[in-house]
Amino acid sequence: MTIRHFNKVDQSEMSFFCKNRSTKESKCIIRRVSAKRQQAIADREAELLVIAEQLVATEGFANFTMDKLTNNSSYSKGTIYNHFNSKEDLISALCIKSLKKELCLFKHAATFAGNSREKCLAILYAYQKHAFEDPTLFMCVLSAKTPAVMEKSSPERLERQEELTKEVTQFCDGLFTDALEDGSLVLKPGAELNSLVFAMWAMSFGTNALMVSAGALDTISRLDNRLAQLDNANLLLDGMGWHPLSDQWNYRDTWGRIEQQLFTNNPAT
Amino acid sequence: MTIRHFNKVDQSEMSFFCKNRSTKESKCIIRRVSAKRQQAIADREAELLVIAEQLVATEGFANFTMDKLTNNSSYSKGTIYNHFNSKEDLISALCIKSLKKELCLFKHAATFAGNSREKCLAILYAYQKHAFEDPTLFMCVLSAKTPAVMEKSSPERLERQEELTKEVTQFCDGLFTDALEDGSLVLKPGAELNSLVFAMWAMSFGTNALMVSAGALDTISRLDNRLAQLDNANLLLDGMGWHPLSDQWNYRDTWGRIEQQLFTNNPAT
DNA sequence: CGTCAAATATGACGATTCGTCATTTTAACA
DNA sequence: TGTTAAAATGACGAATCGTCATATTTGACG
């Protein structure tokens, strides 16, 4: 069960290790932690997250315990609590992992060769793909917004979450700005760019959240999973007046091309 | 802290009491539980939910425990576990309470005197009002969709949740059907009524969920809370082609009238 | 009104799980 | 190789969960 080997992991994402262990009377000579060790810690954190994700996926959130994580990893409880100061903090970390994956997918999606509205759809395709391929991770984003988790996870991780969320929205801002510049999107009087971005975010988040978590309801299961996000987006983007409108362009075709060109054979991970 | 008195509560919502205690060798004469007692049980369940909600609101989900519920009520642990077979089951019950309140508000909203699109907005207004006035309860709906809760709450409650959700969507179906009949809404070729209802659901749910749970993010906090739901809805409904379109009608005015006529002085609860 | 059996309430208890901390181990640097 | 700070360990106390044997209450019936 235990995963043996991992590629090196970006250290900048490492948790703030040892934060409460600063010696009261610190010597003037502070021994710098070696890069090698730092790397080892970052790798281990990634390893722990993978194991945690597997456990959550197979046994469910409810049955996931820190003790099980301990038993399924090669580390001790104390070590694990050096990384995550509570179970909720770990959920928060999974949420961050999810956001980072999203951002990565989004950037890949933005390379789609097409008009501005098609690029927007590419992002949404990536979002949906993420939610469906990795529902555990996607649900972590949802769970992390839950008071139960927010209240007990470390301030550092909450801040990181916020940072990443902001980064995502800024990324989307860019898409809309481009569309405004090339004239395919024109702000209606009284409308703001911000509110358009928020609308798209709310719509796509709501769509994914309902599909993943309430997919069993027959109101939803009767829909075509692969097209729900596209259909919803088309309604909204038409409403914004983002050209070409859906009756002037075959976006179903676009959807297929996005899948083929960006997300087959050569997936970005 | 303990609440003393409650009005009578609909018994049909009572949890399936005593379900695992059927005597192995049941006598032929099954003594019927008196209506009075049934009522008492239903009342108590409502009372417990109110206390639980207060506790969650003041101390947060994370710090809410069944022991605290026990201490803050006049009943013992065993009695409480007769109502809710786990902490998660209780969350589920709160979710059901929330859905019932929503449905009630929606029905009240549907009495708004206006065209079909205005009625739709009235529903959304009610939805937003609920989310903002009672965020704890609204978040319960979110939490209840979380695997942690789904996995541990009783099948009966999960079923009830599903039932209520279905009832809400059918209610929305009605709105759309009316609009189709009076011609203010025309299905685009290839579109289905189902997917339009789902789109509106996803949009409004996503909007509320983000506003309530991520409201601290400055991307969101810069928006006008009271109008976000309206603005998003207008974009979407314009995209559906639901007449009168937002440039042909002053829906901001409608929004104000909804508030005044339906939700001031004489609120439905 | 008194009796009795079924329904319901109680809270002590065992089992988990959480998170901590005194101690041991590791590894960087001289 | 020796020294010392950082990091790992796992036993432990506290808190919570959910159960169950026992006590109490209810109300149908004589």
Side-chain angles (χ1 to χ4, degrees):
Chain A
M1 178 59 120
T2 307
I3 279 72
R4 301 279 162 160
H5 184 267
F6 288 87
N7 292 328
K8 291 202 174 181
V9 164
D10 182 5
Q11 285 181 31
S12 68
E13 292 307 331
M14 202 183 56
S15 63
F16 189 53
F17 220 69
C18 216
K19 53 201 158 203
N20 291 322
R21 299 204 180 196
S22 55
T23 45
K24 297 282 160 62
E25 302 168 4
S26 61
K27 310 252 168 136
C28 291
I29 300 165
I30 294 171
R31 186 177 299 179
R32 292 206 321 153
V33 180
S34 76
K36 198 169 154 192
R37 180 175 284 251
Q38 294 260 9
Q39 182 63 55
I41 292 170
D43 286 350
R44 189 176 53 207
E45 184 150 325
E47 181 183 348
L48 287 171
L49 284 179
V50 170
I51 298 172
E53 193 189 332
Q54 285 180 339
L55 283 173
V56 170
T58 51
E59 310 194 30
F61 267 96
N63 298 315
F64 171 78
T65 67
M66 295 300 255
D67 286 329
K68 281 183 187 168
L69 179 57
T70 298
N71 294 334
N72 282 81
S73 76
S74 55
Y75 309 105
S76 72
K77 202 174 221 188
T79 302
I80 287 174
Y81 270 92
N82 274 340
H83 287 274
F84 315 105
N85 61 28
S86 70
K87 187 179 165 181
E88 285 75 16
D89 197 35
L90 190 146
I91 303 289
S92 207
L94 284 175
C95 165
I96 288 172
K97 184 179 173 183
S98 182
L99 288 174
K100 281 165 58 188
K101 190 185 160 198
E102 278 176 16
L103 204 58
C104 176
L105 283 171
F106 286 5
K107 283 177 178 167
H108 179 64
T111 66
F112 183 72
N115 62 43
S116 65
R117 183 162 160 170
E118 286 181 307
K119 278 190 183 171
C120 182
L121 286 181
I123 308 286
L124 293 175
Y125 184 94
Y127 194 28
Q128 172 173 278
K129 180 189 166 74
H130 171 54
F132 278 76
E133 277 188 352
D134 221 333
T136 302
L137 228 45
F138 179 79
M139 289 304 287
C140 282
V141 180
L142 203 59
S143 299
K145 297 292 180 199
T146 274
V149 174
M150 303 258 298
E151 286 156 9
K152 295 192 83 177
S153 71
S154 69
E156 292 83 12
R157 285 221 164 75
L158 285 180
E159 202 178 340
R160 185 78 183 106
Q161 266 184 52
E162 204 167 318
E163 255 178 57
L164 283 168
T165 308
K166 195 183 293 181
E167 209 173 323
V168 170
T169 56
Q170 280 175 354
F171 186 75
C172 293
D173 269 6
L175 282 179
F176 280 75
T177 309
D178 290 349
L180 287 177
E181 281 177 5
D182 75 15
S184 50
L185 177 61
V186 177
L187 285 183
K188 296 179 184 177
E192 279 182 54
L193 183 126
N194 252 347
S195 32
L196 294 190
V197 175
F198 176 68
M200 196 180 83
W201 185 21
M203 173 61 112
S204 56
F205 172 78
T207 302
N208 277 335
L210 291 176
M211 301 278 295
V212 169
S213 72
L217 295 178
D218 64 341
T219 320
I220 294 180
S221 65
R222 258 182 284 144
L223 301 169
D224 186 340
N225 281 344
R226 323 198 119 228
L227 294 178
Q229 187 76 250
L230 170 66
D231 288 344
N232 285 356
N234 271 334
L235 290 172
L236 183 64
L237 299 179
D238 281 352
M240 293 180 185
W242 194 331
H243 286 84
L245 298 180
S246 66
D247 54 4
Q248 300 162 339
W249 192 277
N250 186 346
Y251 286 110
R252 208 153 279 206
D253 184 60
T254 302
W255 203 244
R257 276 185 291 121
I258 291 168
E259 182 175 4
Q260 285 213 333
Q261 291 177 23
L262 295 181
F263 297 105
T264 49
N265 291 336
N266 191 22
T269 314
Chain B
M1 179 60 117
T2 307
I3 280 72
R4 302 278 162 160
H5 184 267
F6 289 86
N7 292 328
K8 291 203 174 181
V9 164
D10 182 6
Q11 285 182 31
S12 67
E13 292 307 330
M14 202 184 53
S15 63
F16 189 53
F17 221 69
C18 216
K19 53 200 157 206
N20 291 321
R21 299 203 180 197
S22 54
T23 44
K24 297 283 159 60
E25 302 167 3
S26 61
K27 311 251 169 135
C28 290
I29 300 165
I30 295 172
R31 185 176 300 176
R32 292 205 322 151
V33 181
S34 76
K36 196 169 158 193
R37 178 173 286 248
Q38 296 259 10
Q39 183 63 56
I41 292 171
D43 286 350
R44 188 177 52 206
E45 184 150 325
E47 182 183 347
L48 287 172
L49 285 180
V50 170
I51 298 172
E53 193 188 332
Q54 286 180 337
L55 284 174
V56 170
T58 51
E59 310 195 29
F61 267 96
N63 298 316
F64 171 79
T65 66
M66 294 300 254
D67 285 330
K68 282 184 186 167
L69 179 57
T70 299
N71 294 335
N72 283 80
S73 78
S74 55
Y75 309 104
S76 71
K77 204 173 219 189
T79 302
I80 287 174
Y81 272 91
N82 274 340
H83 287 274
F84 316 105
N85 60 28
S86 69
K87 187 179 165 181
E88 285 74 18
D89 198 35
L90 190 147
I91 303 289
S92 207
L94 283 174
C95 165
I96 288 172
K97 185 179 175 184
S98 182
L99 289 174
K100 279 164 59 188
K101 189 185 160 199
E102 279 175 17
L103 204 58
C104 176
L105 283 171
F106 286 5
K107 283 177 178 165
H108 178 62
T111 66
F112 183 72
N115 62 42
S116 64
R117 184 161 159 168
E118 286 181 308
K119 277 191 184 170
C120 183
L121 286 181
I123 308 286
L124 293 176
Y125 184 93
Y127 193 27
Q128 173 174 279
K129 180 189 167 74
H130 172 53
F132 278 76
E133 276 189 353
D134 220 333
T136 302
L137 228 46
F138 179 80
M139 289 304 286
C140 283
V141 180
L142 203 59
S143 299
K145 296 293 181 198
T146 274
V149 174
M150 301 258 299
E151 286 156 11
K152 294 192 85 177
S153 72
S154 70
E156 291 83 11
R157 285 221 164 76
L158 286 180
E159 203 178 341
R160 185 78 183 106
Q161 266 185 51
E162 202 167 320
E163 255 178 58
L164 282 168
T165 309
K166 195 182 294 182
E167 210 172 323
V168 171
T169 57
Q170 280 175 353
F171 186 74
C172 293
D173 271 6
L175 282 180
F176 280 74
T177 309
D178 290 349
L180 286 177
E181 280 177 4
D182 73 17
S184 52
L185 177 62
V186 177
L187 285 183
K188 295 179 184 179
E192 279 182 53
L193 183 128
N194 253 345
S195 31
L196 295 190
V197 175
F198 175 69
M200 196 179 84
W201 185 20
M203 172 63 112
S204 56
F205 172 78
T207 303
N208 277 336
L210 290 178
M211 302 277 293
V212 169
S213 72
L217 295 177
D218 63 341
T219 320
I220 294 179
S221 64
R222 258 182 283 144
L223 301 170
D224 185 340
N225 280 344
R226 321 199 122 229
L227 294 178
Q229 187 76 250
L230 170 66
D231 289 343
N232 285 357
N234 272 334
L235 290 172
L236 183 65
L237 298 179
D238 281 350
M240 293 179 184
W242 193 330
H243 285 83
L245 298 181
S246 64
D247 53 4
Q248 301 162 339
W249 191 276
N250 186 346
Y251 285 111
R252 209 154 277 208
D253 184 61
T254 302
W255 203 244
R257 275 186 291 121
I258 291 168
E259 181 175 3
Q260 285 214 335
Q261 290 177 25
L262 294 181
F263 297 105
T264 50
N265 292 334
N266 191 22
T269 313

